[in-house]
Amino acid sequence: DIFEIERNFPALYELLQPIFNKVKLQIERHLNLCLQQRLLQKEANIKNIASNVWLLLFFMPAEGQLNGKKTISENQLRQRLWEYVNIYLTPKGSAEYSSLIEPEFKSK
């Protein structure tokens, strides 16, 4: 719980801040690579998508707890992240998703 850490352990939160920034930058770089490979629509706003993926990645596990559910599994988290990114895929990106990523979800 990032907010709990920030409130109760501010020094630790300060140490985590560069990690949060690094993760967001890595997501953005990966999305830019996908854009260059024409896997994402050219109109896609990479900075916004990266920020939203980062938010989902860090806060989606807490969403279940806030709604009185169990914490979601890693596989469920990955599926929900991909559901979000799928709306930005090109036909080429959708084909790659169908052949490489989707089978992973079916095998688990």
Side-chain angles (χ1 to χ4, degrees):
D1 184 347
I2 295 170
F3 294 121
E4 190 72 21
I5 292 171
E6 182 182 22
R7 280 190 294 271
N8 295 310
F9 308 100
L12 176 59
Y13 181 79
E14 288 301 317
L15 292 172
L16 290 172
Q17 200 63 41
I19 295 169
F20 299 149
N21 293 334
K22 184 177 182 179
V23 169
K24 191 182 291 185
L25 182 61
Q26 287 174 334
I27 294 168
E28 192 174 320
R29 286 179 178 167
H30 186 73
L31 291 171
N32 274 315
L33 180 62
C34 290
L35 187 64
Q36 290 171 6
Q37 294 173 342
R38 295 184 174 86
L39 301 173
L40 293 175
Q41 299 167 12
K42 62 182 176 185
E43 305 84 22
N45 184 324
I46 298 301
K47 284 202 178 291
N48 284 347
I49 297 169
S51 289
N52 290 335
V53 167
W54 184 89
L55 284 168
L56 291 169
L57 185 64
F58 280 94
F59 292 101
M60 195 182 306
E63 179 264 341
Q65 292 173 330
L66 292 171
N67 291 317
K69 302 174 190 170
K70 305 186 316 186
T71 303
I72 64 172
S73 69
E74 179 184 337
N75 195 47
Q76 290 170 316
L77 176 61
R78 291 180 68 231
Q79 281 183 298
R80 289 179 71 181
L81 287 168
W82 274 107
E83 286 171 2
Y84 172 71
V85 173
N86 274 341
I87 62 175
Y88 299 102
L89 295 178
T90 62
K92 179 182 176 183
S94 291
E96 193 163 312
Y97 170 81
S98 294
S99 66
L100 297 175
I101 306 300
E102 199 170 40
E104 289 183 27
F105 296 132
K106 292 178 182 177
S107 69
K108 292 184 180 183

